[in-house]
Structures are given as structure tokens and as C-alpha cells.
Amino acid sequence: MAEAADVPYSGDRRAGRTEAQQDTQKFAEAAIAESKRQGLLLAVRARWVALAVIAVTLPIINPNWDVIYYVVMLGLFAAIGWAQLNVGKVGRSLPELFLIFCDLALITLLTVVPNPLSAANWPVGMQFRFETFIYFFVFLATATLAYSWRTVVAMGFWTSAVWAIGVGWAYLQPETHAELSERVRAAIGSDVRMFHIINPSSIGIPERFQEITVFLIVAMTLALAVRRSNALLISHAGIERERTNLARYFSPNVVEQLSVNDEPLTRVHTQDVAVLFADIVGFTTYADGRDPKEVIGTLRQFHERMEREVFRHGGTLDKYLGDGLMATFGTPFAGDSDALNALRCARGMIDSIAELNRERKDRNEPPIQVSVGLHYGQVVLGDIGLNRLEFAVIGTTVNAASRLEALTREFGCAIVVSDALVQQARTESSHSSGDFALLVEQPAQSIRGLERPIGIWTCPAIAS
């Protein structure tokens, strides 16, 4: 029997982990998609700024007509960036990879092949004297803003490949300036190393190999940085998911505190809090025979307004109870006006439902009536569950608040408040006489689960 009982439990636990992982994955994918979109936009803008700067400085560096060739090529780079911005997406994108390869191939072409508009008859090896290989680093750096670490690694190897092909092509070109090389050799004498450095026809194979090696090292380093950044992004997405889950229960100011320190959720302890129960009166009768969509629509209207009031008054939405809800004030952090906030929230709920009923009347829909019960006292707080944790608030105070809500039918009122909560609210510094103006003191009532009768106050319903 023990083994049979363990099976569904393990399944539930695995299901819980799977669901949590799926939620995290969903948030991570959304975060990565947004990061990719913003990063790609930033990378393309950075490219355009860099190209504009180069286009301005080129004529200054080379004040000749043949510089037009390079300006046109800069325009091609700008167009490739625009295309990348339009085809970029999360995940593998062949058009995007093709455009990245076009960048690398085009810059290799500019570096290795002489300018066709230039009148200078230079050896092919002179192309490598302009140190244009450094522009590959510009493209590699901007790639880290938008692409995955795998793409950065691929760019490292693609650059090495196209550069090696370009160098090989230049090396295989027939020698065209042998006389010039011989004059340099004669001027240098026996110093072979100096000749290879100065020789205008020299490709400089060792230097080209050094460029590829350094570029690969930088590419691998940047890829590690991108991978680490993505890991941090996914971790941040998980944190955001947790914050979103917290926001389902706690008011925004409490979520902000819990995101820094969630110790009050994990530590089991007792604490004085205000407990509120709200319920739709006669909902079973209302729902009988009605269209399910209309019933659900009414519940959504009710819960939307109730939730808004709870959070507006700094409360914690403990749970939905079908056509009702439970909220607490003073969890997970005790405040200076917990009882008063609960009392004001109850009044806000009644006012909000009155407003809703006026809207429903305009739509020829029947009004709904809400009853609220409030109590103040000691409760037990803490997590329950193993993998699917839930922040629980339990104790006789909770049970009493629920039964006070049920008393509204007996007294024909909208709100029943315990004397304990009223007295606590009177001690809180921010109270005013208006907070208690509509309350009517009633005889003490015996509440199931409590040893002694408790004093209560009632508040009439507001005409809708």
C-alpha cells in the first residue's frame, strides 16, 4: 500500500516541477526575445553611427576620388544592417546568418582586393598594410549585442575562414612588382626579416596567422561573456516570474519588499492580523439555470473589483473561494494600520459593488449583493506543501472571520465586524471618526469554534 501511495505523489511532484520549469521557460523566452529585439536594434544603430563616422573620416584620411568606392561599400554595410533588423528573430534564422556572412565576405573583399577606382598600381600585398582587419572586431563587438554565444563563436570561425581564403587568393596572385622588391632587397642587404617587413609584395603570412589567432581568442572570450549574460537573463526571468506570482497575492508595495527578502514567507510564526471574508449573497440561486459564460463574467467582475480594493488598501489576497475570497491585512509584514485598512477595504468593496450594480442596471442585468466579515487576532503564518508551496494563514481568527461573514444574512447587513477589530482600529493613529460612522454595535454573538461570545458591529448595505 505504501508503494502504491507513493506513485501519484511522485507524479504530482514531477508535474509541479515540470509546470514550474515551463513557466520559467516561457518567461525566459519572452525575456530573450525582448533582449534580442532591443539588442539587434542597438547593434544596427551602432553600426550606422560607426559607418557614418567612417564615411566622414575617410575623405579626410584619403582626399582622393577613389574614396567613393569605399563610401559606396559603406552604404552596402548599412543596407545589410537594415536587412538584419528586418529578418532578425529569436532562434535559428538562415537569412540572418546569411547576412552576417555577407558582412564578413564584404569586408574581406575590401581588405584583399585593390580598389578598382584607384589609379595607383600597387602590389596586392600592399592591401594588407592598411590594417583593415581591425574592422572585423567592430562587427564582432556589435554581434554580442544581439546574437547568441553560438553565433559569436560561429562568427569567429567564419571570419578566420574567409580571411584565410582571402589571404590565400592574394598569395596565389602572380608577382607584378618584382623589380620593386629587388630594389628593396638591395637596399636592405642581408637582413631577411627586415626585407619581409618592408617588401611591398609580401603578404605577411605570420602576421595574418597572428590576426586570426587573436581574433579567435577574442571571439571565444566574448562568446563566454554572452553566454554568461544569457544565463543571468534567464535567471532574471525566473525572478520576474516569482515576482509575478507574488503579485497575484500581495499588494505591489509588499511584492517589492518580498523580492528583497522572502523570509516572512518561509518562516512559520504567529502574528496578529486582520482577516476579511467577502462573498456574493445568493450566488447559487443566481447561477442556477443561467448561461455559464454569464456566470463566469459576473464572477470576473466581482473578483476584479474585490482584488483591486484589497491591493488598494495594502492587503494580501489569500485565496479565491468560488464566489468569494479571503484577504488578510498585516501579512506577511505587520503594519501600523492593519485593522483600519481592513475596515476601509470592506467599505470600499461595498461602494465598488454599488457602482457595479449601477452599471449592471444599465445593461439590464440583475444586481449582486456582497457580504463581508472582519475579525482581528492571532493567526499562524507559513508555507505549506512540499514542492507546490502555498503561503497559508490559519487559526481561529480565520474561522471566526468566515462565520462573521455568514452572520450578515441573519442581521440583513453588508458588513459584520468583530469588536476586536474595531477596538484595534481605534488605537491606530490614522483613524478618523468617519471610519466608524456607519457601524452599529450589536449584542455579543456566540461563534462556533470560540469559547466565549464576541462583540460585533454591523454596517448596512449601500443602496444601489
Side-chain angles (χ1 to χ4, degrees):
M1 292 296 292
E3 292 181 357
D6 287 341
V7 173
Y9 172 79
S10 299
D12 289 344
R13 184 170 55 188
R14 287 193 298 270
R17 286 199 301 266
T18 301
E19 184 177 345
Q21 291 167 356
Q22 289 175 347
D23 287 345
T24 301
Q25 183 67 22
K26 179 184 68 175
F27 273 77
E29 289 175 355
I32 291 174
E34 179 63 17
S35 176
K36 169 68 179 288
R37 186 189 66 80
Q38 294 180 355
L40 187 57
L41 180 61
L42 181 61
V44 172
R45 286 178 176 175
R47 168 197 292 251
W48 288 341
V49 170
L51 292 175
V53 172
I54 295 172
V56 171
T57 56
L58 270 179
I60 300 174
I61 299 173
N62 182 23
N64 297 299
W65 285 106
D66 59 3
V67 78
I68 295 176
Y69 170 73
Y70 296 109
V71 174
V72 172
M73 289 299 178
L74 292 176
L76 288 179
F77 282 119
I80 292 174
W82 175 84
Q84 289 175 341
L85 190 61
N86 283 272
V87 304
K89 66 179 184 179
V90 177
R92 181 173 297 179
S93 172
L94 293 180
E96 197 169 11
L97 295 177
F98 172 74
L99 290 172
I100 294 174
F101 189 81
C102 287
D103 271 335
L104 303 179
L106 186 57
I107 194 172
T108 302
L109 177 68
L110 284 172
T111 302
V112 175
V113 179
N115 184 348
L117 300 181
S118 177
N121 184 21
W122 287 344
V124 174
M126 286 295 294
Q127 289 293 114
F128 297 96
R129 303 304 173 93
F130 303 124
E131 302 297 339
T132 49
F133 184 84
I134 59 176
Y135 291 109
F136 281 108
F137 288 97
V138 176
F139 288 96
L140 182 66
T142 55
T144 61
L145 297 174
Y147 301 120
S148 69
W149 67 272
R150 294 182 180 87
T151 302
V152 175
V153 170
M155 284 189 66
F157 286 100
W158 290 350
T159 300
S160 301
V162 296
W163 187 242
I165 292 173
V167 171
W169 175 86
Y171 180 79
L172 294 175
Q173 297 303 302
E175 188 172 357
T176 58
H177 294 71
E179 295 181 359
L180 180 60
S181 296
E182 287 303 321
R183 288 199 298 269
V184 172
R185 185 188 298 274
I188 297 300
S190 60
D191 193 336
V192 178
R193 292 182 59 191
M194 182 66 71
F195 172 71
H196 284 301
I197 294 173
I198 299 179
N199 181 16
S201 299
S202 174
I203 303 298
I205 299 298
E207 289 80 3
R208 308 291 78 81
F209 178 78
Q210 177 178 273
E211 289 169 343
I212 291 176
T213 303
V214 172
F215 190 85
L216 283 174
I217 292 173
V218 173
M220 297 304 109
T221 304
L222 290 177
L224 288 174
V226 171
R227 187 175 185 181
R228 182 172 179 270
S229 176
N230 284 346
L232 291 174
L233 184 63
I234 292 173
S235 175
H236 178 71
I239 293 173
E240 286 301 311
R241 177 181 66 84
E242 294 169 1
R243 285 173 61 91
T244 300
N245 286 338
L246 287 174
R248 294 168 56 196
Y249 306 101
F250 302 108
S251 57
N253 59 318
V254 176
V255 171
E256 190 65 31
Q257 297 180 58
L258 290 177
S259 64
V260 178
N261 177 22
D262 64 354
E263 187 269 342
L265 297 183
T266 58
R267 179 172 55 89
V268 177
H269 61 289
T270 58
Q271 186 171 307
D272 287 337
V273 303
V275 181
L276 178 152
F277 277 86
D279 188 51
I280 299 178
V281 178
F283 185 76
T284 302
T285 303
Y286 167 83
D288 186 31
R290 290 187 182 274
D291 184 272
K293 292 183 179 179
E294 181 182 352
V295 174
I296 293 298
T298 299
L299 280 178
R300 285 175 177 168
Q301 293 173 3
F302 166 73
H303 284 303
E304 177 185 355
R305 289 173 176 269
M306 298 301 96
E307 175 185 310
R308 184 166 61 240
E309 292 300 323
V310 170
F311 289 163
R312 187 165 71 90
H313 292 89
T316 297
L317 180 58
D318 188 87
K319 61 175 66 71
Y320 288 123
L321 303 167
D323 60 333
L325 61 85
M326 169 185 166
T328 56
F329 297 79
T331 59
F333 306 100
D336 297 330
S337 304
D338 296 331
L340 197 58
N341 285 339
L343 186 59
R344 289 171 176 172
C345 178
R347 287 293 309 276
M349 287 177 168
I350 302 304
D351 292 342
S352 182
I353 292 301
E355 179 184 353
L356 175 61
N357 283 334
R358 288 190 288 271
E359 296 175 4
R360 291 175 63 85
K361 182 178 181 180
D362 293 338
R363 297 192 296 264
N364 294 320
E365 297 174 351
I368 59 176
Q369 181 182 348
V370 175
S371 58
V372 183
L374 297 168
H375 190 34
Y376 185 87
Q378 193 174 80
V379 298
V380 177
L381 307 175
D383 283 339
I384 59 174
L386 182 59
N387 292 284
R388 299 293 299 275
L389 298 178
E390 179 180 344
F391 181 64
V393 180
I394 57 177
T396 56
T397 299
V398 176
N399 299 332
S402 176
R403 294 187 170 92
L404 289 176
E405 183 275 321
L407 276 180
T408 57
R409 280 73 163 173
E410 181 178 334
F411 284 89
C413 61
I415 304 172
V416 172
V417 189
S418 71
D419 185 66
L421 187 139
V422 172
Q423 297 308 320
Q424 175 63 28
R426 292 187 188 279
T427 66
E428 294 171 350
S429 58
S430 59
H431 79 272
S432 66
S433 58
D435 292 318
F436 312 99
L438 297 180
L439 293 180
V440 178
E441 188 172 10
Q442 303 291 346
Q445 299 291 312
S446 297
I447 302 297
R448 182 162 54 91
L450 299 182
E451 295 181 358
R452 298 179 180 178
I454 62 172
I456 65 168
W457 298 70
T458 60
C459 179
I462 297 176
S464 57

